Amino acid sequence: MRDRHSRESQKKTSITSNQIKNMTENTTPFPDGWTYGHGICFVYFTFAELADGDFSSDEASVIKTKCAEWNMADDTLVEAYKFFAGKSYGEILALANQCWGWILASDDLTIENKKAMIADLKSIANADGKVTADETDMLGQFEESVMALSN
């Protein structure tokens, strides 16, 4: 198992929707108690569904496995999905960008943690047996943003 951000640490880093608003330009509120774990799940869901327009059961299975590797409680996964479900394409993209920006800016998540997220996204992309050009482009952008932090 990879060295992941522990569930205990997620509890300590829980932030309020007002704090997230102050950290981002968009004022879309996240639920109270939102954690890095929720943000990671949200990015994974976004990548699975929006990158190729299909959220397959294979992708869902990989996301569940990857979140377990992060030592996330199933509740975190469910809460993040409930927040994700029913949102418009534009809302999902805006929220995922907020989550990704928050994750990138976090000092609580190491560069290695962020690289592990990229590896997870690659696994999600490969889960359904097809990696689209959009998925490849998104992965490239995510990788560049993480690599920029290590320079």
Side-chain angles (χ1 to χ4, degrees):
M1 183 186 306
R2 289 178 270 186
D3 181 26
R4 301 289 186 152
H5 202 60
S6 73
R7 185 170 157 201
E8 189 62 33
S9 294
Q10 288 177 30
K11 288 180 184 175
K12 288 190 274 185
T13 57
S14 177
I15 61 175
T16 67
S17 58
N18 286 336
Q19 288 169 313
I20 291 175
K21 282 185 210 176
N22 292 335
M23 295 168 59
T24 61
E25 292 178 16
N26 189 323
T27 59
T28 303
F30 288 89
D32 285 336
W34 193 260
T35 66
Y36 291 114
H38 292 96
I40 290 167
C41 291
F42 196 93
V43 169
Y44 290 176
F45 295 143
T46 302
F47 189 80
E49 184 167 322
L50 298 185
D52 64 4
D54 180 40
F55 193 164
S56 73
S57 60
D58 292 331
E59 289 169 323
S61 178
V62 170
I63 290 170
K64 184 172 172 73
T65 299
K66 295 304 177 183
C67 288
E69 289 175 5
W70 283 94
N71 297 318
M72 285 182 214
D74 286 343
D75 291 354
T76 301
L77 189 68
V78 170
E79 290 164 0
Y81 188 77
K82 284 180 179 178
F83 185 67
F84 174 86
K87 300 250 184 297
S88 72
Y89 179 85
E91 287 175 306
I92 290 171
L93 284 180
L95 291 165
N97 281 329
Q98 283 182 275
C99 289
W100 188 249
W102 176 42
I103 289 163
L104 286 176
S106 169
D107 291 332
D108 293 329
L109 296 169
T110 67
I111 293 294
E112 292 308 314
N113 292 142
K114 295 166 190 173
K115 287 179 181 178
M117 287 183 63
I118 299 297
D120 291 352
L121 289 170
K122 287 179 182 179
S123 294
I124 294 164
N126 286 304
D128 61 4
K130 59 184 182 213
V131 180
T132 67
D134 286 343
E135 286 173 313
T136 301
D137 289 344
M138 288 177 76
L139 278 168
Q141 291 171 21
F142 286 160
E143 283 179 311
E144 285 178 24
S145 64
V146 170
M147 296 311 293
L149 295 174
S150 59
N151 294 333

mmCIF file with all atom_site columns, all heavy atoms in Angstrom, residues 97-108:
data_model
loop_
_atom_site.group_PDB
_atom_site.id
_atom_site.type_symbol
_atom_site.label_atom_id
_atom_site.label_alt_id
_atom_site.label_comp_id
_atom_site.label_asym_id
_atom_site.label_entity_id
_atom_site.label_seq_id
_atom_site.pdbx_PDB_ins_code
_atom_site.Cartn_x
_atom_site.Cartn_y
_atom_site.Cartn_z
_atom_site.occupancy
_atom_site.B_iso_or_equiv
_atom_site.pdbx_formal_charge
_atom_site.auth_seq_id
_atom_site.auth_comp_id
_atom_site.auth_asym_id
_atom_site.auth_atom_id
_atom_site.pdbx_PDB_model_num
ATOM 1  N N   . ASN A 1 97  ? -12.072 22.080 -10.346 1.00 0.00 ? 97  ASN A N   1
ATOM 2  C CA  . ASN A 1 97  ? -10.934 23.008 -10.415 1.00 0.00 ? 97  ASN A CA  1
ATOM 3  C C   . ASN A 1 97  ? -10.621 23.582 -9.040  1.00 0.00 ? 97  ASN A C   1
ATOM 4  O O   . ASN A 1 97  ? -9.455  23.740 -8.676  1.00 0.00 ? 97  ASN A O   1
ATOM 5  C CB  . ASN A 1 97  ? -11.192 24.119 -11.430 1.00 0.00 ? 97  ASN A CB  1
ATOM 6  C CG  . ASN A 1 97  ? -10.971 23.663 -12.844 1.00 0.00 ? 97  ASN A CG  1
ATOM 7  O OD1 . ASN A 1 97  ? -10.138 22.809 -13.114 1.00 0.00 ? 97  ASN A OD1 1
ATOM 8  N ND2 . ASN A 1 97  ? -11.740 24.216 -13.757 1.00 0.00 ? 97  ASN A ND2 1
ATOM 9  N N   . GLN A 1 98  ? -11.663 23.890 -8.269  1.00 0.00 ? 98  GLN A N   1
ATOM 10 C CA  . GLN A 1 98  ? -11.441 24.372 -6.906  1.00 0.00 ? 98  GLN A CA  1
ATOM 11 C C   . GLN A 1 98  ? -10.750 23.294 -6.071  1.00 0.00 ? 98  GLN A C   1
ATOM 12 O O   . GLN A 1 98  ? -9.793  23.577 -5.346  1.00 0.00 ? 98  GLN A O   1
ATOM 13 C CB  . GLN A 1 98  ? -12.764 24.746 -6.241  1.00 0.00 ? 98  GLN A CB  1
ATOM 14 C CG  . GLN A 1 98  ? -13.332 26.063 -6.698  1.00 0.00 ? 98  GLN A CG  1
ATOM 15 C CD  . GLN A 1 98  ? -14.605 26.354 -5.945  1.00 0.00 ? 98  GLN A CD  1
ATOM 16 O OE1 . GLN A 1 98  ? -15.675 25.901 -6.336  1.00 0.00 ? 98  GLN A OE1 1
ATOM 17 N NE2 . GLN A 1 98  ? -14.494 27.093 -4.874  1.00 0.00 ? 98  GLN A NE2 1
ATOM 18 N N   . CYS A 1 99  ? -11.259 22.082 -6.161  1.00 0.00 ? 99  CYS A N   1
ATOM 19 C CA  . CYS A 1 99  ? -10.658 20.976 -5.396  1.00 0.00 ? 99  CYS A CA  1
ATOM 20 C C   . CYS A 1 99  ? -9.206  20.764 -5.802  1.00 0.00 ? 99  CYS A C   1
ATOM 21 O O   . CYS A 1 99  ? -8.328  20.612 -4.945  1.00 0.00 ? 99  CYS A O   1
ATOM 22 C CB  . CYS A 1 99  ? -11.449 19.685 -5.613  1.00 0.00 ? 99  CYS A CB  1
ATOM 23 S SG  . CYS A 1 99  ? -13.079 19.652 -4.845  1.00 0.00 ? 99  CYS A SG  1
ATOM 24 N N   . TRP A 1 100 ? -8.944  20.752 -7.106  1.00 0.00 ? 100 TRP A N   1
ATOM 25 C CA  . TRP A 1 100 ? -7.574  20.527 -7.574  1.00 0.00 ? 100 TRP A CA  1
ATOM 26 C C   . TRP A 1 100 ? -6.653  21.659 -7.107  1.00 0.00 ? 100 TRP A C   1
ATOM 27 O O   . TRP A 1 100 ? -5.543  21.423 -6.655  1.00 0.00 ? 100 TRP A O   1
ATOM 28 C CB  . TRP A 1 100 ? -7.533  20.372 -9.092  1.00 0.00 ? 100 TRP A CB  1
ATOM 29 C CG  . TRP A 1 100 ? -6.180  19.948 -9.561  1.00 0.00 ? 100 TRP A CG  1
ATOM 30 C CD1 . TRP A 1 100 ? -5.294  20.698 -10.273 1.00 0.00 ? 100 TRP A CD1 1
ATOM 31 C CD2 . TRP A 1 100 ? -5.535  18.693 -9.326  1.00 0.00 ? 100 TRP A CD2 1
ATOM 32 N NE1 . TRP A 1 100 ? -4.142  19.979 -10.500 1.00 0.00 ? 100 TRP A NE1 1
ATOM 33 C CE2 . TRP A 1 100 ? -4.267  18.745 -9.924  1.00 0.00 ? 100 TRP A CE2 1
ATOM 34 C CE3 . TRP A 1 100 ? -5.911  17.529 -8.654  1.00 0.00 ? 100 TRP A CE3 1
ATOM 35 C CZ2 . TRP A 1 100 ? -3.374  17.677 -9.882  1.00 0.00 ? 100 TRP A CZ2 1
ATOM 36 C CZ3 . TRP A 1 100 ? -5.023  16.464 -8.612  1.00 0.00 ? 100 TRP A CZ3 1
ATOM 37 C CH2 . TRP A 1 100 ? -3.771  16.547 -9.216  1.00 0.00 ? 100 TRP A CH2 1
ATOM 38 N N   . GLY A 1 101 ? -7.124  22.881 -7.186  1.00 0.00 ? 101 GLY A N   1
ATOM 39 C CA  . GLY A 1 101 ? -6.321  24.009 -6.712  1.00 0.00 ? 101 GLY A CA  1
ATOM 40 C C   . GLY A 1 101 ? -6.041  23.917 -5.225  1.00 0.00 ? 101 GLY A C   1
ATOM 41 O O   . GLY A 1 101 ? -4.925  24.188 -4.764  1.00 0.00 ? 101 GLY A O   1
ATOM 42 N N   . TRP A 1 102 ? -7.037  23.508 -4.473  1.00 0.00 ? 102 TRP A N   1
ATOM 43 C CA  . TRP A 1 102 ? -6.895  23.345 -3.032  1.00 0.00 ? 102 TRP A CA  1
ATOM 44 C C   . TRP A 1 102 ? -5.884  22.243 -2.721  1.00 0.00 ? 102 TRP A C   1
ATOM 45 O O   . TRP A 1 102 ? -5.013  22.399 -1.865  1.00 0.00 ? 102 TRP A O   1
ATOM 46 C CB  . TRP A 1 102 ? -8.272  23.049 -2.452  1.00 0.00 ? 102 TRP A CB  1
ATOM 47 C CG  . TRP A 1 102 ? -8.363  22.763 -0.995  1.00 0.00 ? 102 TRP A CG  1
ATOM 48 C CD1 . TRP A 1 102 ? -7.704  23.414 0.009   1.00 0.00 ? 102 TRP A CD1 1
ATOM 49 C CD2 . TRP A 1 102 ? -9.171  21.783 -0.364  1.00 0.00 ? 102 TRP A CD2 1
ATOM 50 N NE1 . TRP A 1 102 ? -8.062  22.884 1.225   1.00 0.00 ? 102 TRP A NE1 1
ATOM 51 C CE2 . TRP A 1 102 ? -8.961  21.879 1.016   1.00 0.00 ? 102 TRP A CE2 1
ATOM 52 C CE3 . TRP A 1 102 ? -10.067 20.830 -0.839  1.00 0.00 ? 102 TRP A CE3 1
ATOM 53 C CZ2 . TRP A 1 102 ? -9.604  21.056 1.935   1.00 0.00 ? 102 TRP A CZ2 1
ATOM 54 C CZ3 . TRP A 1 102 ? -10.720 20.026 0.083   1.00 0.00 ? 102 TRP A CZ3 1
ATOM 55 C CH2 . TRP A 1 102 ? -10.484 20.141 1.443   1.00 0.00 ? 102 TRP A CH2 1
ATOM 56 N N   . ILE A 1 103 ? -5.981  21.125 -3.451  1.00 0.00 ? 103 ILE A N   1
ATOM 57 C CA  . ILE A 1 103 ? -5.052  20.006 -3.273  1.00 0.00 ? 103 ILE A CA  1
ATOM 58 C C   . ILE A 1 103 ? -3.636  20.439 -3.618  1.00 0.00 ? 103 ILE A C   1
ATOM 59 O O   . ILE A 1 103 ? -2.686  20.156 -2.885  1.00 0.00 ? 103 ILE A O   1
ATOM 60 C CB  . ILE A 1 103 ? -5.515  18.799 -4.114  1.00 0.00 ? 103 ILE A CB  1
ATOM 61 C CG1 . ILE A 1 103 ? -6.781  18.193 -3.492  1.00 0.00 ? 103 ILE A CG1 1
ATOM 62 C CG2 . ILE A 1 103 ? -4.413  17.763 -4.261  1.00 0.00 ? 103 ILE A CG2 1
ATOM 63 C CD1 . ILE A 1 103 ? -7.561  17.267 -4.415  1.00 0.00 ? 103 ILE A CD1 1
ATOM 64 N N   . LEU A 1 104 ? -3.471  21.132 -4.740  1.00 0.00 ? 104 LEU A N   1
ATOM 65 C CA  . LEU A 1 104 ? -2.134  21.584 -5.143  1.00 0.00 ? 104 LEU A CA  1
ATOM 66 C C   . LEU A 1 104 ? -1.529  22.537 -4.122  1.00 0.00 ? 104 LEU A C   1
ATOM 67 O O   . LEU A 1 104 ? -0.328  22.492 -3.852  1.00 0.00 ? 104 LEU A O   1
ATOM 68 C CB  . LEU A 1 104 ? -2.185  22.274 -6.511  1.00 0.00 ? 104 LEU A CB  1
ATOM 69 C CG  . LEU A 1 104 ? -2.366  21.377 -7.714  1.00 0.00 ? 104 LEU A CG  1
ATOM 70 C CD1 . LEU A 1 104 ? -2.504  22.229 -8.971  1.00 0.00 ? 104 LEU A CD1 1
ATOM 71 C CD2 . LEU A 1 104 ? -1.225  20.381 -7.859  1.00 0.00 ? 104 LEU A CD2 1
ATOM 72 N N   . ALA A 1 105 ? -2.347  23.407 -3.553  1.00 0.00 ? 105 ALA A N   1
ATOM 73 C CA  . ALA A 1 105 ? -1.856  24.407 -2.606  1.00 0.00 ? 105 ALA A CA  1
ATOM 74 C C   . ALA A 1 105 ? -1.599  23.834 -1.215  1.00 0.00 ? 105 ALA A C   1
ATOM 75 O O   . ALA A 1 105 ? -0.935  24.469 -0.396  1.00 0.00 ? 105 ALA A O   1
ATOM 76 C CB  . ALA A 1 105 ? -2.855  25.558 -2.505  1.00 0.00 ? 105 ALA A CB  1
ATOM 77 N N   . SER A 1 106 ? -2.078  22.629 -0.962  1.00 0.00 ? 106 SER A N   1
ATOM 78 C CA  . SER A 1 106 ? -1.985  22.051 0.374   1.00 0.00 ? 106 SER A CA  1
ATOM 79 C C   . SER A 1 106 ? -0.554  21.699 0.763   1.00 0.00 ? 106 SER A C   1
ATOM 80 O O   . SER A 1 106 ? 0.168   21.047 0.010   1.00 0.00 ? 106 SER A O   1
ATOM 81 C CB  . SER A 1 106 ? -2.830  20.778 0.441   1.00 0.00 ? 106 SER A CB  1
ATOM 82 O OG  . SER A 1 106 ? -2.546  20.071 1.627   1.00 0.00 ? 106 SER A OG  1
ATOM 83 N N   . ASP A 1 107 ? -0.177  22.131 1.954   1.00 0.00 ? 107 ASP A N   1
ATOM 84 C CA  . ASP A 1 107 ? 1.093   21.706 2.521   1.00 0.00 ? 107 ASP A CA  1
ATOM 85 C C   . ASP A 1 107 ? 0.938   20.379 3.253   1.00 0.00 ? 107 ASP A C   1
ATOM 86 O O   . ASP A 1 107 ? 1.923   19.729 3.583   1.00 0.00 ? 107 ASP A O   1
ATOM 87 C CB  . ASP A 1 107 ? 1.631   22.756 3.506   1.00 0.00 ? 107 ASP A CB  1
ATOM 88 C CG  . ASP A 1 107 ? 2.067   24.024 2.789   1.00 0.00 ? 107 ASP A CG  1
ATOM 89 O OD1 . ASP A 1 107 ? 2.457   23.944 1.607   1.00 0.00 ? 107 ASP A OD1 1
ATOM 90 O OD2 . ASP A 1 107 ? 1.995   25.096 3.413   1.00 0.00 ? 107 ASP A OD2 1
ATOM 91 N N   . ASP A 1 108 ? -0.307  19.975 3.524   1.00 0.00 ? 108 ASP A N   1
ATOM 92 C CA  . ASP A 1 108 ? -0.567  18.716 4.214   1.00 0.00 ? 108 ASP A CA  1
ATOM 93 C C   . ASP A 1 108 ? -0.396  17.511 3.291   1.00 0.00 ? 108 ASP A C   1
ATOM 94 O O   . ASP A 1 108 ? -0.201  16.399 3.758   1.00 0.00 ? 108 ASP A O   1
ATOM 95 C CB  . ASP A 1 108 ? -1.976  18.691 4.797   1.00 0.00 ? 108 ASP A CB  1
ATOM 96 C CG  . ASP A 1 108 ? -2.154  19.689 5.929   1.00 0.00 ? 108 ASP A CG  1
ATOM 97 O OD1 . ASP A 1 108 ? -1.169  19.956 6.645   1.00 0.00 ? 108 ASP A OD1 1
ATOM 98 O OD2 . ASP A 1 108 ? -3.266  20.190 6.095   1.00 0.00 ? 108 ASP A OD2 1
#
